Amino acid sequence: MGIEGWEDALIITHEYHGARAFDIANFLKMKEPMVYPVTSQVLWMPWHKTRETLAFTKWIIERGLQAVGFASRSGISQLPRKLIGEAYLRVAQLSCNSSN
């Protein structure tokens, strides 16, 4: 959005995704983000709400890590290597070597 010079947007999404969409918009410093959630008539909500709960939890962790300058753009998937660095790789190497 910044490339286009846009500062705000109207976010229309499913109701189960509205809170995370709003939080991300605030994190990106969008000016007065507006989210209009809609209710799906066809999606199986238990699956989608469970998945969104996990996605929102992941986002909260990533947001916190970014706030302290820890996370990269690659996100939480790189967390184990960043947390324990070379020690993580050494344990994996020792494990492989001991099985030979």
Side-chain angles (χ1 to χ4, degrees):
M1 287 183 54
I3 292 171
E4 298 294 329
W6 301 340
E7 295 179 353
D8 56 1
L10 171 63
I11 303 167
I12 301 172
T13 187
H14 288 100
E15 65 182 351
Y16 62 87
H17 179 65
R20 183 165 56 114
F22 183 74
D23 195 65
I24 291 170
N26 281 322
F27 179 80
L28 295 174
K29 298 182 180 3
M30 293 174 71
K31 193 164 88 178
E32 299 180 27
M34 295 178 289
V35 176
Y36 287 92
V38 296
T39 303
S40 174
Q41 302 299 318
V42 296
L43 297 176
W44 190 57
M45 284 300 112
W47 162 257
H48 291 283
K49 286 182 179 182
T50 299
R51 187 197 170 285
E52 180 60 23
T53 299
L54 295 172
F56 204 167
T57 302
K58 179 183 174 221
W59 161 245
I60 290 170
I61 292 168
E62 286 182 340
R63 182 186 66 198
L65 291 172
Q66 288 178 18
V68 296
F70 190 71
S72 68
R73 290 181 182 260
S74 59
I76 201 169
S77 62
Q78 300 296 315
L79 187 59
R81 180 174 285 182
K82 289 180 182 180
L83 280 177
I84 49 183
E86 289 299 314
Y88 178 78
L89 297 175
R90 286 186 196 140
V91 169
Q93 288 171 344
L94 290 173
S95 176
C96 289
N97 291 338
S98 66
S99 64
N100 291 337

